[in-house]
Structures are given as C-alpha cells and as structure tokens.
Amino acid sequence: MAKKSESPFSQFLDTNDVPSDTEVVQIKEYILACTAKLSKLDHSLNSFMADDDEYPIVIYDPRDSGFSGLAQLQTADDLRSQRDLLSEHISAHRSCLSPVRRVPQEIWEQIFVRCLPEGRNPVIGAHEMPMGLCHVCRSWRFIALTTRILWSRVHVVIHSAPSQNRTGRIRSEVLEQWLTRAAPLPLSISVSTEAGENGSYSEITCILATLTKFSKYWENFQLETLFQVPAASLVTGLTGKDVPLLRDISFLSSQKPQTRHTLFGGNVWVPNDLPILQAPRLQSLRFVYASLPFKIAVNWTQLTELRLEGCYLTGFSCYVMLSACKNLQHATLDTCDRHAMMALPNLSSPFDSVRLVYLESLVLFEKTFLPILFDVPKLRSFTYRGFLIPPRTSLIQHLLRSAEKLDSLFIDPGGIELHQLLPLTPTVKHLTLAKPITSYPPLHQIFAYAQGRGMDDALLERLTPRIRQGPDAGGPLVANRRDYMCPELQTLTYKTNARCSFSAGALINFMKARMDARDQHGFTKLEEVVVHSNQRMDGMNGVGVDKAIEELRQQGMTIGISYNRSAITSNSIAWLLRH
C-alpha cells in the first residue's frame, strides 16, 4: 500500500492548497495509474475467490514505485484490506482536484460575509461568525483574518457581575485586535452593559477606552445601559471632530418598562451638551426610553432619520425639533409630555403645522397631546396608535390630506372614525387596522371597544365597488372609482382582540366585488385579506361561505382568517366596565 509520505503529491493531501495547472495534469495521470493497479487487484481478488487458491499470489511487481507494500497476499481478508487502502489512496488524490479548491479567494470572502448574523452585530465568541470561520482549516483562517469587512461589525456585552481588572484588560485586548483587522473600514459598534449600581464599572471604562481609540472609524454606534449609568455621559469625552464618519448613533435603556403599553419612559438620562452629536456626517439619531432635555445641540438639518421611542419630551421641544429637521425622511415619535396640560410658550395655537417635504415614513404613538399638525406631501408609509381618549382625529385627517401618494397605512381603529379617514387615502395599497393581540387590553382599548368604533359592514360596503350591466356594452361595468374608498387597495389586514364588528357576508361581497372589478375603471386587484380576532365572525358558518372563500383563493387571492381564543372576550370587557 502506498503511504501518504510516498505520494509525489503529499503536500496537497489533507489540505485545501490548490495545485497548479501542471500539477493537476500530473495528479490525473497518477490517479489513472493507481486505478489501473486497483483494477488488477480486483481481478486477482476475483480469481482468488473463484479458484479458492490457498497458495500465495503475487499481484504485481513489488518494486513498483509507491506500492512496495502490495507484494504477496496470503488470504482473501488481506487482499480486501489492501484493496480498500488503495481505494482510499485514490480518493485522497481525487479530492485534490475538487472544484471547491479552485474557488477564488474573492468568492470565499463574499460567502464569509454572508455568514455574518443579520439584524445585529456579531459578538466575540468561538461559536459566532466570523470567529467560527477561523477554526475550520488553515486556508479559511487566512481568508477570514485578511477579509477586513468581516471584522467591521462587533457587539460587546458587559455583564452585571463585577469583573476583575485582568478580565477587562484581556477582553479589551481581544477587542482591539478585532478592530485592528477591520481598519481603516468604517465600523459598526454596539455595546450592551448590564452593570448595576453596585457593580464595578472598570470593565465598562476599559472597553470604552479601547473603542475610543478607533472613534475616527465609527460609522454606527449604539450604547445600551441601565438607567443607573448615564448612558450618554460615557461618551461625553468625544466631540464631533473625533467621529468624522459617524452617521448613526443610538442610546438605549437596558431596563424596559414593566408593561409593553406603558405611557412613560425616561430611564436613560441625556445631558444638554453632548458634543458627539455634532458629528459632521450624522444622519440618524435614536433614543429609546430616554429623558430628553428641553434642547439638544444637534445639527438637525442634516438628519434623515429620527427615532424617539418611549421618551420624555415636552410638546414644544418636539415641535422645535421637528421644525428644524428639514431633510427628515424617516421618523418615529413615541414621546410623553409630563407637562401636557400646561400652556405652550411661543406657539400661536396648539395646532401649528410642521412641513416635512422629504418625509417618507412616520410612526406616531400619541400618548399625550402633541401640539403639532404634519404637512407631509411625500409620505409613503404612516403608522398611528392613539392613547388619547378620545383620539385626536383632526391630527390624522390633516396628515392624510397632505400625503399625496400614501402607499401603506397602519392604524389602531379604536375610537377613530374610519368613515372620515379612509376617503382621504385614495392611493393606499396596503391597509392594516390592528389592535395589539394580548390577553389584557390597555385601558384606552376597553373604552374604544365600548364606543363600538372600528370597521363594520357599512364601511366594507363603501369599500365594495358595485357592478352593473351597461345597456350597450357586452360585459360588466363598474361604478367610477371616485365613488368608493381605497380603489388601489392590494392588501387588507384587520386584527383585533375583540370580536369582529363586520359579518362574513359583507367581507365576502367585498372580496368578490374587488376581484370582479380588478383592472377596470382604475380598481387594482385585491391580492390579500387577513382577519384575526378572538371569535368567529357573524355568518361564518353560513351556507356557501367556505365555498366562496375557496373560489377566491383559486382565482389567486390570499385569504387568512384566524382566531385567538385566549384573547379577552366581550363578556370580560363588560365586567371590567361594570367594576
């Protein structure tokens, strides 16, 4: 049997090294020679078994190069063993010709980049990419370590238990090596610390000191801390000049509110003067559960994205802030004004308008009175959840009238007059009317349910085009699209933690009419309808309902009707209202 060391191509065995074109030809010739000898060995084995010969058999000349071990075989078992070893020897050399060895390094780099986690930065760990790529083979390790983009993202977790200085120093050294491999590429960094007020902040200081060395490469930076740690103060030593590439910065609180429907935030304290926010390229700013000062020194005109989630912010500060964001494209406003009932200074009326000509998407949680009206001509996506009782319909009406090409509308229908709003959305393609599906609704939804507001049969009828037969035309005609709401509607989603306020018959008539009126008089084909509630719709068990739904599905419409039986029922809501 040929040993690995006796092979003329042993340097390629058990490696991922790529042979040259000349060596590929030589390896193929070598494999052919080995295959011929394997065939001779098979023939001798067959003869041995057929003749049951007990005498020694010489398979081939023992002086053959690389096969001196295959001399005289005494038994069939020895013969089979040597045959298997030779077959493995041939397979090992065939693997040297595998196409995967000839994949260019640039292709491997792209494959490795797609191995990184999506939606978050990779953590430093042997079982996480890109570290895991370094433990496969020598060539993969080389490619991974020399591909800078793999190391341009990192998430650092600092646990609550106090750590020794040595541990923090080791982690800092590893982090520095990681970031050094990425330089000079822009960096995406996220830091999450759970250190409590009794914990040691030495590791936090050590980690941030290491990160500060690479601040000139920061492009995205996110810092998440407990409320005991002044999040923003951890980077107060940096100025705008220290972060010339910074485009996106976020400050978050690790301690979320007790309930998802809380009206209050303010766990992260943000100082008035935060020089890092003066970064010359800053475009995206995000605060989550933060208590914001009356005025923040930011170059608002260069921001294209602003996200305030669960933050304390006065209505006047919000008005001033938005008025300065002339180039804003995406906004999330989830704020609470502790002084909402106080008079607002410097405002001629509580309904001053803010014009955002470039705004494309807006998510608005109105927890307290927001003294702003929006003028957003290019708005494409709008999400509204109102926590006011009753909700301020005038704010939504003014916004929808100004949006000329609104595509997507997500709205909590509780207490809102949909009959007044939907006529203002003729260009909407995706309509979602949803309340949170929970086992306990917030108080405002209980009152909204008591008011009986939401989608009903009358509203569905206004969404349903009526088909009539023309006196001279040979086919069906439909009424003018201006007579019906949302003529370009493509998807309709209705989710509620209560019982549906419309019947199955009205829903089927709506879907049939939309299907029949598709591509006629400007009506767009309705592609998807999703209904989710805690009880079956009235008439859902009627004759022909399932058949009608199946026929619509066969015509290409996606229909989903489901029920959440664990949701709160109307009887329990009535009990809550009585008590």
Side-chain angles (χ1 to χ4, degrees):
M1 171 59 197
K3 299 179 181 179
K4 184 187 302 184
S5 59
E6 296 174 347
S7 170
F9 308 102
S10 58
Q11 71 273 24
F12 299 112
L13 301 181
D14 298 331
T15 70
N16 284 328
D17 295 341
V18 182
S20 64
D21 294 340
T22 302
E23 290 170 329
V24 167
V25 174
Q26 295 174 352
I27 292 175
K28 289 180 178 180
E29 294 175 351
Y30 183 77
I31 292 175
L32 289 176
C34 293
T35 303
K37 294 172 182 179
L38 183 64
S39 299
K40 184 186 294 186
L41 183 59
D42 287 336
H43 177 72
S44 299
L45 178 60
N46 293 334
S47 300
F48 183 88
M49 298 300 296
D51 299 339
D52 195 19
D53 194 351
E54 296 295 336
Y55 295 99
I57 299 177
V58 178
I59 305 306
Y60 44 80
D61 189 346
R63 292 172 296 179
D64 285 351
S65 174
F67 294 93
S68 58
L70 293 175
Q72 295 179 343
L73 306 179
Q74 302 296 328
T75 65
D77 289 340
D78 291 339
L79 197 59
R80 293 191 188 94
S81 177
Q82 297 297 337
R83 192 264 182 203
D84 292 341
L85 291 175
L86 179 58
S87 178
E88 292 177 3
H89 185 75
I90 295 174
S91 297
H93 285 76
R94 282 177 176 167
S95 66
C96 298
L97 306 177
S98 174
V100 73
R101 295 199 182 204
R102 309 191 70 80
V103 175
Q105 179 173 334
E106 294 78 9
I107 301 299
W108 282 119
E109 292 175 357
Q110 295 300 318
I111 294 174
F112 288 174
V113 169
R114 283 160 177 77
C115 291
L116 296 177
E118 296 182 359
R120 63 176 179 86
N121 291 332
V123 299
I124 301 177
H127 301 290
E128 180 91 2
M129 301 302 172
M131 291 288 287
L133 298 170
C134 298
H135 300 283
V136 177
C137 63
R138 183 178 60 186
S139 61
W140 279 28
R141 176 181 176 84
F142 173 79
I143 295 174
L145 293 179
T146 55
T147 304
R148 294 181 176 180
I149 193 172
L150 292 176
W151 313 95
S152 63
R153 295 164 48 196
V154 64
H155 177 67
V156 183
V157 180
I158 304 175
H159 299 288
S160 57
S163 60
Q164 300 295 329
N165 291 336
R166 180 174 178 274
T167 304
R169 185 171 63 254
I170 293 175
R171 294 191 67 191
S172 297
E173 292 175 356
V174 174
L175 179 61
E176 185 170 0
Q177 292 178 3
W178 181 298
L179 298 177
T180 301
R181 296 187 187 117
L185 295 181
L187 301 177
S188 176
I189 299 172
S190 54
V191 181
S192 176
T193 173
E194 302 172 354
E197 57 185 353
N198 297 322
S200 172
Y201 298 121
S202 60
E203 187 172 357
I204 301 177
T205 305
C206 196
I207 292 295
L208 289 177
T210 301
L211 293 175
T212 303
K213 296 179 182 179
F214 299 87
S215 62
K216 63 180 179 180
Y217 302 122
W218 290 5
E219 184 177 47
N220 302 288
F221 183 78
Q222 175 178 302
L223 180 60
E224 181 177 1
T225 68
L226 279 176
F227 68 94
Q228 293 96 339
V229 183
S233 65
L234 296 175
V235 290
T236 50
L238 296 176
T239 65
K241 295 181 180 180
D242 297 322
V243 285
L245 302 181
L246 187 64
R247 293 179 179 271
D248 185 343
I249 190 168
S250 303
F251 296 102
L252 297 81
S253 170
S254 299
Q255 181 171 341
K256 303 300 187 293
Q258 297 296 324
T259 62
R260 60 180 294 189
H261 301 294
T262 181
L263 299 182
F264 306 103
N267 289 336
V268 174
W269 169 75
V270 179
N272 290 328
D273 185 18
L274 196 57
I276 192 174
L277 298 183
Q278 297 293 325
R281 297 188 180 184
L282 186 64
Q283 295 182 352
S284 177
L285 180 61
R286 181 188 181 200
F287 291 104
V288 179
Y289 299 113
S291 182
L292 303 179
F294 178 78
K295 185 178 181 180
I296 308 176
V298 180
N299 188 358
W300 299 105
T301 57
Q302 68 185 24
L303 289 186
T304 59
E305 181 176 9
L306 176 64
R307 299 173 63 183
L308 307 177
E309 305 172 23
C311 297
Y312 280 130
L313 184 67
T314 66
F316 177 67
S317 296
C318 190
Y319 168 78
V320 173
M321 187 182 300
L322 291 175
S323 299
C325 296
K326 301 298 183 181
N327 297 306
L328 201 62
Q329 298 177 12
H330 309 280
T332 298
L333 301 178
D334 179 8
T335 62
C336 179
D337 186 356
R338 305 180 190 181
H339 311 289
M341 302 305 296
M342 298 177 60
L344 298 173
N346 301 328
L347 285 178
S348 58
S349 73
F351 298 105
D352 281 3
S353 178
V354 173
R355 183 171 176 82
L356 302 172
V357 294
Y358 300 108
L359 193 67
E360 297 180 2
S361 66
L362 173 63
V363 179
L364 179 60
F365 290 74
E366 194 175 22
K367 296 177 178 178
T368 54
F369 181 77
L370 188 63
I372 301 173
L373 292 179
F374 293 90
D375 189 1
V376 283
K378 293 187 178 181
L379 190 68
R380 305 299 296 268
S381 175
F382 177 51
T383 298
Y384 176 84
R385 288 195 182 278
F387 290 78
L388 299 181
I389 304 175
R392 191 153 62 93
T393 307
S394 59
L395 180 148
I396 311 175
Q397 288 178 325
H398 187 278
L399 184 145
L400 294 179
R401 287 193 182 99
S402 67
E404 301 173 357
K405 296 182 179 181
L406 188 66
D407 287 340
S408 177
L409 176 62
F410 184 109
I411 194 167
D412 181 348
I416 295 178
E417 288 286 357
L418 296 177
H419 293 264
Q420 300 178 8
L421 296 183
L422 294 187
L424 305 176
T425 60
T427 61
V428 163
K429 297 178 176 61
H430 309 284
L431 175 62
T432 301
L433 307 174
K435 302 178 183 179
I437 305 297
T438 61
S439 57
Y440 54 93
L443 185 62
H444 81 284
Q445 292 190 8
I446 296 178
F447 281 99
Y449 181 90
Q451 296 172 4
R453 305 296 176 87
M455 180 174 283
D456 52 17
D457 287 1
L459 184 63
L460 276 176
E461 184 177 359
R462 294 192 62 185
L463 290 168
T464 305
R466 295 181 181 179
I467 301 176
R468 59 182 177 84
Q469 185 70 35
D472 300 326
L477 299 177
V478 297
N480 194 298
R481 55 176 278 172
R482 291 177 297 180
D483 299 334
Y484 300 92
M485 296 185 297
C486 306
E488 299 182 11
L489 192 64
Q490 297 179 8
T491 64
L492 172 64
T493 303
Y494 183 82
K495 297 183 179 181
T496 178
N497 55 5
R499 186 172 183 173
C500 281
S501 53
F502 53 86
S503 64
L507 179 64
I508 290 176
N509 290 337
F510 159 73
M511 292 189 294
K512 282 185 175 181
R514 286 282 179 160
M515 182 62 72
D516 295 338
R518 61 185 185 275
D519 301 327
Q520 299 186 46
H521 290 265
F523 282 89
T524 304
K525 177 184 177 181
L526 184 64
E527 299 177 353
E528 181 180 81
V529 174
V530 176
V531 177
H532 186 100
S533 65
N534 76 318
Q535 295 184 26
R536 296 177 68 86
M537 287 181 289
D538 291 338
M540 196 63 194
N541 296 325
V543 178
V545 173
D546 292 339
K547 181 180 179 181
I549 292 177
E550 186 59 31
E551 290 177 353
L552 289 169
R553 285 173 175 165
Q554 292 177 358
Q555 296 181 47
M557 183 181 296
T558 301
I559 303 175
I561 300 177
S562 58
Y563 309 98
N564 181 26
R565 299 187 181 278
S566 63
I568 192 167
T569 63
S570 58
N571 292 333
S572 57
I573 291 180
W575 183 89
L576 288 170
L577 292 175
R578 289 197 304 269
H579 295 78

